[in-house]
Amino acid sequence: QVQLVESGGGLVQAGGSLRLSCAASGRTVSSYAMGWFRQAPGKEREFVASLSGSGGNTYYADSVKGRFTISRDNAKNTVYLQMASLKPEDTAVYYCAAEAVVGTLKNPRSWGQGTQVTVSS
């Protein structure tokens, strides 16, 4: 079982940047598909970005494409979400997710507890 712990959330002004981290433990996730999702108040959880288990492919929601970058550091067993040009509509709880597949993240089995990102206008 993989345990995921997110960090790096906080309050930032519109146009600012944040980097979220997702530290994994229990298993080495270097070959896991990893991803980020978010849930805003009153809305369903939505996909943000993912990284294939092979590490060769990344996927982004249209709403964040060009502004967010997902990456991983296998030595640290950690996945990152670099967020730039933040908008108030990016305000949400951000969750890290993992699935033990080398392909695309489709059915995450492990979730973190979430980290709050608030973007003020």
Side-chain angles (χ1 to χ4, degrees):
Q1 185 74 10
V2 176
Q3 290 79 45
L4 304 172
V5 178
E6 304 96 334
S7 62
L11 174 64
V12 63
Q13 289 189 332
S17 300
L18 279 176
R19 188 179 77 160
L20 305 184
S21 300
C22 172
S25 62
R27 296 284 174 86
T28 299
V29 296
S30 59
S31 60
Y32 277 48
M34 303 291 295
W36 290 92
F37 293 75
R38 67 186 182 187
Q39 187 168 20
K43 295 186 177 181
E44 294 187 353
R45 186 156 54 187
E46 64 176 3
F47 168 78
V48 175
S50 68
L51 185 65
S52 65
S54 66
N57 297 296
T58 56
Y59 306 90
Y60 297 94
D62 288 343
S63 58
V64 307
K65 202 169 294 183
R67 300 188 298 122
F68 291 11
T69 303
I70 187 171
S71 63
R72 74 164 94 215
D73 184 335
N74 290 335
K76 296 183 178 180
N77 217 28
T78 298
V79 174
Y80 303 98
L81 185 68
Q82 179 69 50
M83 306 186 293
S85 302
L86 283 162
K87 305 175 182 179
E89 51 263 44
D90 293 319
T91 295
V93 177
Y94 284 71
Y95 297 91
C96 179
E99 183 180 4
V101 292
V102 296
T104 308
L105 183 70
K106 293 182 179 179
N107 187 23
R109 302 288 182 169
S110 300
W111 293 87
Q113 84 289 347
T115 185
Q116 176 71 47
V117 172
T118 303
V119 184
S120 63
S121 56

